[in-house]
């Protein structure tokens, strides 16, 4: 439906990213399924836009294929998780963690073949299985956690710089 190319306000140079708007979710799904994309011989890093309210969550901009699932104690089985989360993409692995005695620890992990499935899960919260509201979040390695912190700091510096410019304080 539309495209917005981000540009620097001072010199109108490209900031290296754009937003494409689709008329339907199916259009966005088709674009994601048709990856990889390239433009002028360069590979594009294509991902779904993160809503502003979710952008500050840890790992919001990290491409992860694994998820932490909390709140699984009791009736939530591996099969129930598989059945619920399979609708978002091809599952690689589903695990409900148990203790030595085989009793559920109350959390587990899901791994997808593609990072887009994780983003779709995150955008479709809350998730309810067997009457339980699950806690879902991207599983991040230590390196991804550090990258996420750096990106959040960078975002905050950029936001603060923009606010200063709007207030007439160009340092």
């Amino acid at each position: 439906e539309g495209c917005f190319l981000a540009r620097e306000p001072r010199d109108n140079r490209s900031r290296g990213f754009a937003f494409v708007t689709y008329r339907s979710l199916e259009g966005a799904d088709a674009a994601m399924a048709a990856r990889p994309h390239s433009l002028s011989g360069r590979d594009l890093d294509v991902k779904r836009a993160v809503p502003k309210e979710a952008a500050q969550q840890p790992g919001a901009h990290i491409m992860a294929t694994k998820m932490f699932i909390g709140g699984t104690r009791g009736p939530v089985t591996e099969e129930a998780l598989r059945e619920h989360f399979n609708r978002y993409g091809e599952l690689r692995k589903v695990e409900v963690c148990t203790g030595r005695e085989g009793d559920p620890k109350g959390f587990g992990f899901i791994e997808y073949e593609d990072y887009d499935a994780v983003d779709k899960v995150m955008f479709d919260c809350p998730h309810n299985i067997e009457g339980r509201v699950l806690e879902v979040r991207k599983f991040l390695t230590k390196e991804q956690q550090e990258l996420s912190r750096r990106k959040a700091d960078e975002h905050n510096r950029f936001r603060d710089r923009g606010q200063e410019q709007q207030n007439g304080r160009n340092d």
Side-chain angles (χ1 to χ4, degrees):
E1 185 168 297
C3 179
F4 168 76
L5 178 63
R7 297 190 173 275
E8 289 291 343
R10 289 175 298 211
D11 56 13
N12 206 32
R13 287 186 10 214
S14 170
R15 291 184 46 208
F17 65 94
F19 294 95
V20 176
T21 306
Y22 294 89
R23 289 180 192 202
S24 68
L25 182 57
E26 291 78 19
D29 287 344
M32 293 303 290
R35 288 173 292 149
H37 296 287
S38 63
L39 181 66
S40 301
R42 296 179 68 182
D43 289 338
L44 301 178
D45 181 17
V46 179
K47 54 189 168 193
R48 293 176 191 266
V50 177
K52 283 185 180 182
E53 59 275 4
Q56 294 303 309
Q57 293 177 0
H61 301 284
I62 301 291
M63 291 183 277
T65 58
K66 191 171 182 180
M67 300 189 73
F68 168 86
I69 310 295
T72 63
R73 191 177 307 273
V76 180
T77 64
E78 185 177 306
E79 192 53 44
L81 288 174
R82 185 175 304 283
E83 185 178 319
H84 177 82
F85 288 103
N86 193 47
R87 72 182 89 171
Y88 298 99
E90 187 177 344
L91 289 165
R92 184 180 296 160
K93 185 176 180 182
V94 176
E95 176 184 8
V96 173
C97 296
T98 57
R100 293 182 198 187
E101 308 291 319
D103 52 319
K105 289 187 169 186
F107 65 92
F109 299 94
I110 293 177
E111 191 169 358
Y112 285 98
E113 292 292 332
D114 184 64
Y115 67 86
D116 187 49
V118 172
D119 289 338
K120 289 195 293 190
V121 169
M122 296 303 295
F123 296 152
D124 197 25
C125 287
H127 294 275
N128 297 287
I129 299 179
E130 306 286 339
R132 295 181 122 352
V133 177
L134 303 180
E135 173 190 357
V136 296
R137 61 179 184 242
K138 292 180 180 181
F139 177 85
L140 303 177
T141 63
K142 289 193 185 289
E143 294 82 17
Q144 288 172 319
Q145 289 175 19
E146 181 57 33
L147 177 62
S148 180
R149 273 192 286 278
R150 284 197 313 264
K151 283 189 175 212
D153 291 345
E154 185 178 298
H155 172 80
N156 290 336
R157 279 195 304 276
F158 181 77
R159 183 197 65 217
D160 293 345
R161 186 177 77 203
Q163 287 174 345
E164 289 173 358
Q165 287 176 348
Q166 284 180 344
N167 293 331
R169 289 178 277 164
N170 296 328
D171 292 334

